[in-house]
């Protein structure tokens, strides 16, 4: 490799602390109404003031996590608390049903149709309760988690447009996110709930959505765990699958199961190679497992989160198993990511490239991109690379 | 221009009769269960058997219309009737609430959340009733039309995810489609309903969604007809706006209002120029009226329907007003469309190109592309060009 682990660690650390975090601290905090702006231009100018609960929760989480794990910086804690207060006051309907989006002032715009508004709120208040010791935040996280579990079999609720009984599919996203969320709020769960949730999610991800006969991870299967030869049953999201594998590796570490870690590494490597665009480089956003045209018109685009999550997975795979092939692919994805997504002129990274690797949308934040994947990946890679460097 | 009107007319006629219609007649008819396959590969092979009610209705309409207006071909009538029978039996819930999609066999998959499943079913049974004289088909069209009118203020019904009272927006699509649908089922409406619907739609399209202060047509405005500086309020869909202008021109002819036709022509020309991609050619799919990043990741793609609808609008504008600028732009769009969307090797045309004009998805039909825009445009352009040629 071109750089030593300690140089790489320093690169990721510097990018996090001196480029990415300042971008969000300087541009995203709404000092009048609280919460965060996330629709930010390339330079960091606010171009829309709507507040999306996914991204509000994720930014609360990010600054709480950094305060808890990296440094007790007052600026980070204040940034997290003001966002948490905004969410506590405006983010839900009074019963911890989390809206999808709010006006700048906090008035609901879109109803609580999306289960991931709940998961990211839960993650936010879990970390914020650790950062502050505030029991109210812990209660919000716990109550929200209970609602998520109660909705696990019909996460869309009354907004579900599927006709009952014809084609009952289940999605990879929720068990995948719960792999991560269960460890995030471990301190709030009783032992049985934690154990049951974890075992159930590992089973769903590794035995149901991962299909050994195909060697790939699916996005949707039937509720009785069968393949579905439909658009939903054929679609693949390599970035999703790869991201899930570092959640599984974290669980493998927590549960001390080397076999699980190795299986996750093998699946991740398979999905990286499957998703890699031989022609232009980068990992495709969506694919069809039978090679048919996917429904998603954006299928060939290169998205920031896919690539930075892949970096986390590959470097963890190397750290935990010493796998050279993982390190080789880490270097390939590192090269692609830093030369294509990093903005040489302003803070934060680009999010959306076309297939050719050119910037498709110059925004640094929007409806789906906020203060989350880039800083989380920089933090995770930095710490993992540091570990690798110390082991040498 | 390079070709005379009579040569152009022959080109469009030949493409319709000898390339596009045979593709659908040969590949889309499900002779076992009835209805149509629409998910067809470049070569016409079925890659998915789901049946989308938009596209079922549109194909019934297409073959009925050709039978009614072009030639009394038994093959066309049979093709339309078998699709109409499938829709009559399986397309709705018994009360003419039209599902969004069905399995191959006709079992509902997705609930009747989408008002355009209703509009295209209505259009289908309107033409089919003319083709067959079957009163049952006429009744289905009439009942469906009544439901559409009753849902005009809340077309999404219980699937509306907008929180009531915060940001009430209305969409261009429905009044736009009603401009066309009202003439389609004119024979089934009483004079007052027809007149009222038409006047209301013309008003919405030309006085509400068209904004003289901006010179453009918006996709969404507030319910009290104001601009909204939000993602929804800023988004433009040039193809949509341009398509609506030929619906308006048809109404202008029907009502004998030359001023309305001229206004529609001017708006169309403005939107064609606004949407034209100076770098690669073609018309963008989505834009933001303030130049901010749009939410739609597919914003820069070049879609078949945008371009073929633009051809109809521009040639009608020339036919009806003699406007040289419309003819000049017709030639530009004609050139782009025929060199980029027509498949030199197989029937039907490509649907989805990337910004550069390369084929993004090689399918000939899918969830949203069926037997509709290409043959309708070829027919409309052929007949209009023929008229221009005879006038010369």
């Amino acid at each position: 490799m071109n750089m030593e682990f300690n140089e790489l660690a320093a690169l990721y650390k510097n990018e996090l602390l001196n480029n990415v975090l300042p971008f969000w601290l300087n541009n995203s905090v709404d000092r009048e109404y609280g919460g965060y702006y996330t629709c930010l231009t390339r330079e960091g100018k606010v171009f829309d003031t709507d507040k999306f609960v996914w991204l509000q929760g994720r930014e609360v989480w990010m600054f709480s996590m950094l305060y808890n794990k990296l440094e007790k910086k007052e600026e980070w804690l204040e940034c997290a608390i003001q966002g948490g207060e905004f969410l506590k006051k405006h983010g839900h309907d009074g019963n911890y049903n989390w809206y999808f989006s709010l006006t700048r002032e906090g008035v609901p715009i879109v109803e609580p149709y999306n289960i991931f508004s709940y998961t990211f709120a839960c993650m936010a208040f879990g970390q914020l309760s650790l950062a502050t010791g505030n029991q109210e935040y812990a209660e919000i996280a716990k109550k929200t988690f209970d609602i998520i579990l109660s909705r696990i079999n019909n996460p869309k609720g009354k907004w579900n447009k599927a006709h009952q009984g014809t084609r009952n599919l289940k999605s990879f996203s929720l068990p995948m996110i719960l792999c991560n969320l269960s460890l995030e709020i471990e301190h709030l769960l009783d032992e049985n709930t934690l154990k049951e949730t974890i075992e159930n999610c590992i089973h769903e991800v590794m035995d149901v959505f991962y299909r050994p006969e195909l060697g790939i991870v699916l996005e949707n299967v039937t509720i009785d765990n069968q393949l579905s030869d439909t658009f939903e049953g054929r679609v693949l999201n390599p970035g999703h699958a790869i991201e899930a594998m570092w959640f599984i590796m974290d669980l493998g570490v927590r549960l001390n199961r080397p076999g699980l870690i190795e299986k996750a590494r093998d699946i991740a490597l398979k999905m990286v190679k499957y998703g890699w665009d031989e022609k232009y480089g980068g990992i495709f956003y969506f694919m069809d497992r039978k090679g048919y045209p996917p429904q998603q018109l954006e299928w060939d685009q290169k998205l920031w989160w896919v690539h930075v999550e892949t970096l986390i997975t590959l470097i963890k795979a190397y750290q935990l198993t010493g796998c050279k092939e993982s390190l080789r692919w880490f270097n390939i994805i590192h090269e692609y990511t830093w030369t294509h997504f990093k903005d040489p002129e302003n803070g934060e990274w680009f999010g959306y490239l076309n297939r050719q690797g050119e910037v498709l949308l110059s925004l640094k934040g929007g409806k789906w991109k906020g203060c989350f994947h880039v800083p989380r990946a920089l933090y995770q890679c930095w710490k993992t690379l540091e570990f690798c460097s110390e082991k040498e």
Side-chain angles (χ1 to χ4, degrees), chain A residues 3-247:
Chain A
M3 294 174 88
E4 300 294 329
F5 286 125
N6 61 347
E7 292 176 287
L8 275 171
L11 182 73
Y12 280 85
K13 174 184 178 179
N14 179 62
E15 188 69 11
L16 174 67
L17 298 179
N18 299 320
N19 180 347
V20 170
L21 293 179
F23 179 89
W24 295 104
L25 286 165
N26 292 336
N27 299 308
S28 77
V29 180
D30 181 350
R31 302 195 188 279
E32 196 173 340
Y33 290 95
Y36 315 101
Y37 304 114
T38 62
C39 297
L40 300 170
T41 65
R42 179 176 177 181
E43 294 80 19
K45 197 176 143 263
V46 177
F47 70 88
D48 195 282
T49 58
D50 282 358
K51 289 174 178 162
F52 304 97
V53 169
W54 280 36
L55 302 187
Q56 301 295 309
R58 283 168 156 191
E59 190 158 347
V60 172
W61 176 84
M62 178 59 56
F63 283 103
S64 307
M65 185 278 284
L66 291 171
Y67 181 85
N68 292 334
K69 298 207 174 153
L70 197 55
E71 195 187 332
K72 295 278 169 289
K73 271 201 170 188
E74 266 315 303
E75 190 188 16
W76 292 350
L77 184 62
E78 273 169 28
C79 178
I81 289 175
Q82 69 83 21
E85 285 296 311
F86 180 84
L87 267 185
K88 187 183 85 178
K89 212 174 297 168
H90 303 295
H92 61 94
D93 66 354
N95 292 307
Y96 304 104
N97 292 303
W98 298 88
Y99 296 115
F100 182 77
S101 62
L102 312 166
T103 64
R104 185 187 168 192
E105 298 80 9
V107 183
I109 301 171
V110 174
E111 295 283 9
Y113 79 95
N114 188 300
I115 194 71
F116 300 101
S117 307
Y118 296 61
T119 61
F120 298 123
C122 181
M123 197 168 159
F125 283 101
Q127 279 290 333
L128 190 61
S129 74
L130 280 180
T132 57
N134 185 328
Q135 193 51 33
E136 193 187 5
Y137 296 150
E139 284 302 314
I140 296 173
K142 259 183 68 61
K143 279 181 187 154
T144 301
F145 191 72
D146 288 342
I147 301 176
I148 295 167
L149 290 186
S150 78
R151 286 178 55 176
I152 214 161
N153 291 321
N154 187 15
K156 293 185 186 168
K158 65 174 175 169
W159 289 280
N160 190 352
K161 294 182 291 198
H163 188 78
Q164 279 311 296
T166 307
R167 182 181 291 167
N168 292 325
L169 298 177
K170 58 182 180 180
S171 283
F172 178 62
S173 317
L174 192 50
M176 167 206 168
I177 287 291
L178 287 175
C179 286
N180 181 241
L181 185 58
S182 54
L183 285 190
E184 275 292 328
I185 60 160
E186 187 177 348
H187 59 288
L188 301 175
L189 301 181
D190 67 80
E191 209 176 311
N192 277 343
T193 308
L194 178 70
K195 207 179 147 211
E196 203 180 302
T197 307
I198 286 177
E199 293 302 337
N200 184 40
C201 292
I202 292 176
H203 169 70
E204 289 290 306
V205 169
M206 302 302 272
D207 304 326
V208 174
F209 288 95
Y210 170 66
R211 312 300 292 199
E213 73 272 35
L214 304 171
I216 50 176
V217 178
L218 305 181
E219 282 297 298
N220 299 287
V221 297
T222 67
I223 44 164
D224 49 350
N225 302 342
Q226 302 303 305
L227 297 181
S228 170
D229 189 5
T230 59
F231 281 105
E232 296 74 18
R234 288 192 304 268
V235 73
L236 304 179
N237 183 327
H240 231 181
I242 298 164
E243 180 182 2
M245 291 306 120
W246 76 259
F247 298 166

